[in-house]
């Protein structure tokens, strides 16, 4: 059973930085694609960034230039470096990964940005 566990969330002031990690276990496959989504209170879950096993990256417009997605294929771990955080970045951040053609999700980590 594949498990994804996020870490690194917390409370930070506007303008600050956080680095989220997503550790995958339980799969003989490396994740094909990994990604981060976020869900703010009362809103739908939205895509933040994705990265393929080859390192191709995509970002939603609101985080371009501030967030950086990366991965360590040897460790089957993904990362989201978040800089210049804004109060509107406050949300639960979820990691997702595709293993053997199936999509898996972590349980999320809360990021709170105070103004």
């Amino acid at each position: 059973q594949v498990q994804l566990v996020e870490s690194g969330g917390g409370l930070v002031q506007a303008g600050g930085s956080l680095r989220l990690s997503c550790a995958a276990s339980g799969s003989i496959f490396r994740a094909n694609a990994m990604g981060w989504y976020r869900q703010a209170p009362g809103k739908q879950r939205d895509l933040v960034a994705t990265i393929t096993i080859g390192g191709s990256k995509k970002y939603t417009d609101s985080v371009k230039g501030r967030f950086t997605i990366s991965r360590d294929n040897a460790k089957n771990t993904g990362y989201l470096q978040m800089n210049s955080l804004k109060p509107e970045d406050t949300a639960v951040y979820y990691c997702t990964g595709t293993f053997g053609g199936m999509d898996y999700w972590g349980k999320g980590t809360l990021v709170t940005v105070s103004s």
Side-chain angles (χ1 to χ4, degrees), residues 43-93:
K43 297 188 176 181
Q44 66 181 20
R45 189 176 299 187
D46 292 324
L47 176 67
V48 176
T50 60
I51 184 169
T52 67
I53 194 169
S56 179
K57 304 174 185 180
K58 292 184 179 179
Y59 299 92
T60 191
D61 287 345
S62 62
V63 307
K64 285 180 180 177
R66 300 189 298 123
F67 290 11
T68 302
I69 190 170
S70 62
R71 61 188 291 169
D72 185 332
N73 290 333
K75 296 181 178 179
N76 235 355
T77 299
Y79 305 96
L80 186 68
Q81 177 67 44
M82 305 186 295
N83 299 328
S84 302
L85 283 161
K86 304 175 181 180
E88 51 264 42
D89 294 319
T90 294
V92 177
Y93 284 70

Side-chain angles (χ1 to χ4, degrees), residues 9-50:
L11 174 64
V12 64
Q13 289 188 331
S17 298
L18 284 173
R19 188 191 193 209
L20 305 184
S21 298
C22 173
S25 62
S27 174
I28 62 172
F29 302 104
R30 291 177 180 173
N32 184 7
M34 297 187 79
W36 292 91
Y37 285 71
R38 65 186 179 187
Q39 187 167 18
K43 297 188 176 181
Q44 66 181 20
R45 189 176 299 187
D46 292 324
L47 176 67
V48 176
T50 60

